[in-house]
Short mmCIF file of all heavy atoms in Angstrom, two decimals:
data_model
loop_
_atom_site.label_atom_id
_atom_site.label_comp_id
_atom_site.label_asym_id
_atom_site.label_seq_id
_atom_site.Cartn_x
_atom_site.Cartn_y
_atom_site.Cartn_z
N TYR A 412 -129.14 77.21 -20.99
CA TYR A 412 -128.62 75.87 -21.26
C TYR A 412 -127.67 75.50 -20.13
O TYR A 412 -126.70 76.22 -19.87
CB TYR A 412 -127.90 75.83 -22.60
CG TYR A 412 -127.45 74.42 -22.96
CD1 TYR A 412 -128.37 73.49 -23.41
CD2 TYR A 412 -126.13 74.04 -22.82
CE1 TYR A 412 -127.99 72.20 -23.71
CE2 TYR A 412 -125.73 72.75 -23.12
CZ TYR A 412 -126.66 71.83 -23.57
OH TYR A 412 -126.28 70.55 -23.86
N ASP A 413 -127.96 74.42 -19.44
CA ASP A 413 -127.15 73.96 -18.33
C ASP A 413 -126.05 73.05 -18.86
O ASP A 413 -126.32 71.93 -19.30
CB ASP A 413 -128.02 73.22 -17.31
CG ASP A 413 -127.28 72.87 -16.03
OD1 ASP A 413 -126.06 73.11 -15.95
OD2 ASP A 413 -127.94 72.36 -15.11
N GLU A 414 -124.82 73.54 -18.84
CA GLU A 414 -123.67 72.77 -19.35
C GLU A 414 -123.44 71.51 -18.54
O GLU A 414 -123.03 70.48 -19.08
CB GLU A 414 -122.40 73.64 -19.34
CG GLU A 414 -122.42 74.77 -20.35
CD GLU A 414 -122.34 74.28 -21.79
OE1 GLU A 414 -121.83 73.17 -22.04
OE2 GLU A 414 -122.82 75.02 -22.67
N LYS A 415 -123.70 71.58 -17.23
CA LYS A 415 -123.47 70.43 -16.35
C LYS A 415 -124.40 69.27 -16.69
O LYS A 415 -123.98 68.14 -16.83
CB LYS A 415 -123.66 70.86 -14.90
CG LYS A 415 -123.44 69.78 -13.88
CD LYS A 415 -123.68 70.31 -12.48
CE LYS A 415 -123.96 69.16 -11.55
NZ LYS A 415 -124.63 69.58 -10.34
N ASP A 416 -125.69 69.57 -16.83
CA ASP A 416 -126.70 68.53 -17.12
C ASP A 416 -126.93 68.34 -18.61
O ASP A 416 -127.67 67.44 -19.01
CB ASP A 416 -128.02 68.88 -16.44
CG ASP A 416 -127.94 68.81 -14.93
OD1 ASP A 416 -127.02 68.16 -14.41
OD2 ASP A 416 -128.80 69.43 -14.26
N LYS A 417 -126.37 69.21 -19.43
CA LYS A 417 -126.52 69.15 -20.90
C LYS A 417 -127.99 69.20 -21.31
O LYS A 417 -128.46 68.41 -22.12
CB LYS A 417 -125.86 67.88 -21.47
CG LYS A 417 -124.39 67.74 -21.15
CD LYS A 417 -123.58 68.65 -22.00
CE LYS A 417 -122.09 68.38 -21.79
NZ LYS A 417 -121.31 69.56 -21.69
N CYS A 418 -128.72 70.16 -20.75
CA CYS A 418 -130.13 70.32 -21.12
C CYS A 418 -130.57 71.77 -20.91
O CYS A 418 -129.92 72.53 -20.20
CB CYS A 418 -131.03 69.37 -20.33
SG CYS A 418 -131.08 69.70 -18.58
N THR A 419 -131.69 72.11 -21.52
CA THR A 419 -132.26 73.44 -21.39
C THR A 419 -133.12 73.50 -20.14
O THR A 419 -133.87 72.57 -19.85
CB THR A 419 -133.10 73.77 -22.63
OG1 THR A 419 -132.26 73.70 -23.78
CG2 THR A 419 -133.71 75.15 -22.53
N LYS A 420 -133.01 74.61 -19.41
CA LYS A 420 -133.80 74.81 -18.20
C LYS A 420 -134.39 76.21 -18.21
O LYS A 420 -134.01 77.04 -19.02
CB LYS A 420 -132.92 74.62 -16.96
CG LYS A 420 -132.39 73.21 -16.82
CD LYS A 420 -131.69 72.99 -15.52
CE LYS A 420 -131.27 71.53 -15.44
NZ LYS A 420 -130.79 71.17 -14.14
N ALA A 421 -135.31 76.44 -17.31
CA ALA A 421 -135.92 77.76 -17.16
C ALA A 421 -135.34 78.43 -15.93
O ALA A 421 -135.24 77.81 -14.87
CB ALA A 421 -137.43 77.63 -17.03
N GLU A 422 -134.97 79.70 -16.09
CA GLU A 422 -134.44 80.47 -14.97
C GLU A 422 -135.38 81.65 -14.72
O GLU A 422 -135.56 82.50 -15.57
CB GLU A 422 -133.04 80.98 -15.29
CG GLU A 422 -132.45 81.84 -14.18
CD GLU A 422 -131.12 82.45 -14.58
OE1 GLU A 422 -131.11 83.35 -15.46
OE2 GLU A 422 -130.10 82.01 -14.04
N ALA A 423 -135.96 81.65 -13.53
CA ALA A 423 -136.81 82.78 -13.13
C ALA A 423 -136.00 83.63 -12.17
O ALA A 423 -135.33 83.09 -11.29
CB ALA A 423 -138.07 82.26 -12.45
N TYR A 424 -136.03 84.92 -12.36
CA TYR A 424 -135.35 85.80 -11.41
C TYR A 424 -136.40 86.69 -10.79
O TYR A 424 -137.29 87.21 -11.44
CB TYR A 424 -134.19 86.58 -12.03
CG TYR A 424 -134.46 87.20 -13.36
CD1 TYR A 424 -134.80 88.54 -13.46
CD2 TYR A 424 -134.37 86.46 -14.54
CE1 TYR A 424 -135.04 89.13 -14.69
CE2 TYR A 424 -134.63 87.03 -15.77
CZ TYR A 424 -134.96 88.36 -15.84
OH TYR A 424 -135.22 88.93 -17.05
N ALA A 425 -136.29 86.81 -9.46
CA ALA A 425 -137.32 87.49 -8.70
C ALA A 425 -136.73 88.52 -7.77
O ALA A 425 -135.61 88.37 -7.29
CB ALA A 425 -138.13 86.47 -7.90
N TRP A 426 -137.51 89.54 -7.51
CA TRP A 426 -137.17 90.55 -6.52
C TRP A 426 -137.83 90.14 -5.22
O TRP A 426 -139.02 89.80 -5.18
CB TRP A 426 -137.67 91.92 -6.97
CG TRP A 426 -137.49 92.97 -5.93
CD1 TRP A 426 -136.38 93.70 -5.68
CD2 TRP A 426 -138.47 93.40 -4.97
NE1 TRP A 426 -136.59 94.55 -4.64
CE2 TRP A 426 -137.87 94.38 -4.18
CE3 TRP A 426 -139.78 93.03 -4.71
CZ2 TRP A 426 -138.53 95.01 -3.15
CZ3 TRP A 426 -140.44 93.66 -3.69
CH2 TRP A 426 -139.83 94.65 -2.92
N ILE A 427 -137.05 90.14 -4.14
CA ILE A 427 -137.53 89.76 -2.81
C ILE A 427 -137.40 90.97 -1.89
O ILE A 427 -136.38 91.66 -1.92
CB ILE A 427 -136.71 88.58 -2.23
CG1 ILE A 427 -136.69 87.39 -3.21
CG2 ILE A 427 -137.24 88.16 -0.87
CD1 ILE A 427 -138.03 86.76 -3.48
N GLN A 428 -138.41 91.22 -1.07
CA GLN A 428 -138.39 92.35 -0.14
C GLN A 428 -137.18 92.26 0.79
O GLN A 428 -136.76 91.17 1.16
CB GLN A 428 -139.67 92.37 0.70
CG GLN A 428 -140.92 92.59 -0.10
CD GLN A 428 -142.18 92.39 0.74
OE1 GLN A 428 -142.12 92.22 1.94
NE2 GLN A 428 -143.33 92.38 0.07
N ASP A 429 -136.68 93.42 1.15
CA ASP A 429 -135.46 93.51 1.95
C ASP A 429 -135.58 92.82 3.31
O ASP A 429 -134.63 92.24 3.81
CB ASP A 429 -135.09 94.99 2.15
CG ASP A 429 -133.64 95.17 2.51
OD1 ASP A 429 -132.82 94.32 2.14
OD2 ASP A 429 -133.32 96.18 3.17
N ASN A 430 -136.75 92.86 3.93
CA ASN A 430 -136.91 92.29 5.26
C ASN A 430 -137.26 90.80 5.25
O ASN A 430 -137.54 90.22 6.30
CB ASN A 430 -137.99 93.07 6.03
CG ASN A 430 -139.33 93.02 5.33
OD1 ASN A 430 -139.42 92.67 4.15
ND2 ASN A 430 -140.38 93.38 6.03
N VAL A 431 -137.23 90.14 4.10
CA VAL A 431 -137.56 88.72 3.97
C VAL A 431 -136.26 87.93 3.90
O VAL A 431 -135.40 88.22 3.08
CB VAL A 431 -138.42 88.47 2.72
CG1 VAL A 431 -138.63 86.99 2.50
CG2 VAL A 431 -139.75 89.20 2.84
N HIS A 432 -136.15 86.92 4.76
CA HIS A 432 -134.95 86.09 4.80
C HIS A 432 -135.32 84.67 4.39
O HIS A 432 -136.21 84.06 4.98
CB HIS A 432 -134.34 86.09 6.20
CG HIS A 432 -133.99 87.47 6.67
ND1 HIS A 432 -132.99 88.23 6.11
CD2 HIS A 432 -134.54 88.25 7.64
CE1 HIS A 432 -132.92 89.40 6.72
NE2 HIS A 432 -133.87 89.45 7.64
N ILE A 433 -134.61 84.14 3.40
CA ILE A 433 -134.88 82.81 2.86
C ILE A 433 -133.66 81.93 3.15
O ILE A 433 -132.55 82.26 2.75
CB ILE A 433 -135.15 82.86 1.35
CG1 ILE A 433 -136.30 83.81 1.05
CG2 ILE A 433 -135.42 81.46 0.81
CD1 ILE A 433 -136.48 84.12 -0.42
N GLU A 434 -133.89 80.81 3.85
CA GLU A 434 -132.80 79.89 4.13
C GLU A 434 -132.31 79.25 2.84
O GLU A 434 -133.09 79.05 1.91
CB GLU A 434 -133.25 78.80 5.12
CG GLU A 434 -133.61 79.31 6.50
CD GLU A 434 -135.04 79.80 6.61
OE1 GLU A 434 -135.79 79.75 5.60
OE2 GLU A 434 -135.42 80.26 7.70
N ASN A 435 -131.03 78.88 2.79
CA ASN A 435 -130.48 78.34 1.54
C ASN A 435 -130.95 76.93 1.24
O ASN A 435 -130.70 76.42 0.15
CB ASN A 435 -128.95 78.42 1.53
CG ASN A 435 -128.30 77.55 2.58
OD1 ASN A 435 -128.98 76.85 3.34
ND2 ASN A 435 -126.99 77.59 2.64
N ASP A 436 -131.66 76.26 2.16
CA ASP A 436 -132.22 74.94 1.87
C ASP A 436 -133.74 74.98 1.71
O ASP A 436 -134.42 73.96 1.80
CB ASP A 436 -131.82 73.93 2.95
CG ASP A 436 -132.43 74.23 4.30
OD1 ASP A 436 -132.83 75.39 4.54
OD2 ASP A 436 -132.49 73.31 5.14
N ALA A 437 -134.28 76.18 1.46
CA ALA A 437 -135.72 76.33 1.26
C ALA A 437 -136.15 75.56 0.01
O ALA A 437 -135.37 75.35 -0.91
CB ALA A 437 -136.09 77.80 1.11
#
């Protein structure tokens, strides 16, 4: 439940390989 938007959302959590770099604006 997102308190900021006052709605339910889905949160997926994933494992990413150590040598993979993802920019924060991907």
Side-chain angles (χ1 to χ4, degrees):
Y412 185 75
D413 188 354
E414 291 291 336
K415 180 181 159 199
D416 293 341
K417 303 284 187 222
C418 66
T419 301
K420 295 188 177 190
E422 177 186 70
Y424 45 98
W426 173 84
I427 306 296
Q428 296 171 8
D429 201 27
N430 60 344
V431 174
H432 302 292
I433 304 169
E434 295 85 0
N435 65 0
D436 66 340

